[in-house]
Amino acid sequence: MKDKGTWLIIDPTGPFSGFSIAEKDSIIASKVFQSNFLFENLLKINDFFNSFNRVLGNVKGVILVNGPGSIMGLRIAFSWIKGFSQGRELKFKTVSSLDAIYFSNGKKKPCWTIMNSIRDDMFYSFNGGKPNVANKFDLLEMIKKKPGLCIGDYFDEISTLKNVNFEKVMLPQFEAIWIYSDCVEESNLSKSEPLIMYSFPIKNIE
């Protein structure tokens, strides 16, 4: 991977949130915590950088995980990024949680990425495609028609399917996001808002 300078990756939308420092071809450091402590940890992010001999002000860009998941976490993280970006030429990219899971698999196909929803439905995508939502039984029928690897959150009914392997993947997935960040297009931070950049239809916001 070419030298892109120092980047900050923030994942604020799952049960566990976190951020990491990324440079060249590796994650330098990361911190993961319960999402209800997101705001407090963002306030201490400068100390986090200092503890690894890095300067927060030298960050060249930010990658933000934009759901599906907690819209509140996305709003908190985005507000911090907007404040941090004032007076800076900051590059900005967004990655969905489902893409992060898919990246962790090396983008192999066929692959279903699956996340729990608080509404007892399942967020999913197929082969890194557009995020969608379905109840467990409808999702099972879709997987039956196109069996392959299922990664992400597990539910018992998956074990009843033939020709299907399952791999549990927990978020955040900073290494996977960083490895594949070159494939992610930059977004215009000044024109972004949480409800616009959220990776899922508004009706499914949690």
Side-chain angles (χ1 to χ4, degrees):
M1 179 179 292
K2 62 182 180 295
D3 187 357
K4 300 185 292 186
T6 301
W7 281 62
L8 170 64
I9 304 173
I10 304 177
D11 185 343
T13 59
F16 289 92
S17 294
F19 43 72
S20 68
I21 305 168
E23 292 177 354
K24 295 184 178 179
D25 59 351
S26 63
I27 297 296
I28 302 302
S30 60
K31 183 177 183 180
V32 178
F33 41 83
Q34 290 184 335
S35 289
N36 54 320
F37 296 109
L38 173 63
F39 180 72
E40 293 90 331
N41 278 279
L42 286 173
L43 293 179
K44 300 175 182 177
I45 200 167
N46 188 60
D47 294 337
F48 175 74
F49 269 70
N50 290 341
S51 65
F52 291 95
N53 297 315
R54 298 299 190 279
V55 178
L56 180 60
N58 291 341
V59 163
K60 301 298 183 183
V62 177
I63 301 173
L64 175 64
V65 176
N66 63 341
S70 169
I71 187 67
M72 182 58 68
L74 181 60
R75 283 171 169 158
I76 291 171
F78 185 72
S79 295
W80 183 91
I81 294 169
K82 288 281 279 190
F84 175 67
S85 69
Q86 296 302 308
R88 294 183 171 91
E89 294 185 6
L90 192 68
K91 296 181 179 181
F92 180 62
K93 298 183 178 185
T94 60
V95 174
S96 80
S97 303
L98 291 168
D99 282 344
I101 295 172
Y102 182 55
F103 292 161
S104 74
N105 179 49
K107 301 169 70 175
K108 297 175 184 176
K109 301 177 180 179
C111 179
W112 295 86
T113 53
I114 303 169
M115 285 179 57
N116 290 323
S117 164
I118 62 173
R119 294 181 175 85
D120 295 325
D121 290 329
M122 307 297 292
F123 295 117
Y124 73 91
S125 65
F126 181 65
N127 288 343
K130 184 178 179 180
N132 214 321
V133 67
N135 65 54
K136 292 179 181 179
F137 300 103
D138 288 342
L139 180 56
L140 284 171
E141 290 302 314
M142 288 185 276
I143 296 173
K144 283 181 183 178
K145 295 176 182 178
K146 296 180 179 180
L149 177 64
C150 295
I151 57 176
D153 289 325
Y154 178 81
F155 58 100
D156 292 338
E157 290 81 359
I158 287 182
S159 63
T160 66
L161 300 180
K162 297 180 180 179
N163 302 317
V164 171
N165 295 318
F166 181 81
E167 179 182 343
K168 186 172 180 63
V169 175
M170 300 290 291
L171 295 169
Q173 285 288 324
F174 298 123
E175 292 84 359
I177 292 171
W178 184 236
I179 289 171
Y180 290 99
S181 62
D182 284 340
C183 303
V184 180
E185 294 183 0
E186 288 187 29
S187 299
N188 189 327
L189 180 57
S190 65
K191 296 182 179 180
S192 296
E193 295 293 342
L195 291 181
I196 295 174
M197 66 181 178
Y198 186 69
S199 68
F200 213 76
I202 298 300
K203 67 180 181 180
N204 292 298
I205 283 179
E206 296 187 348

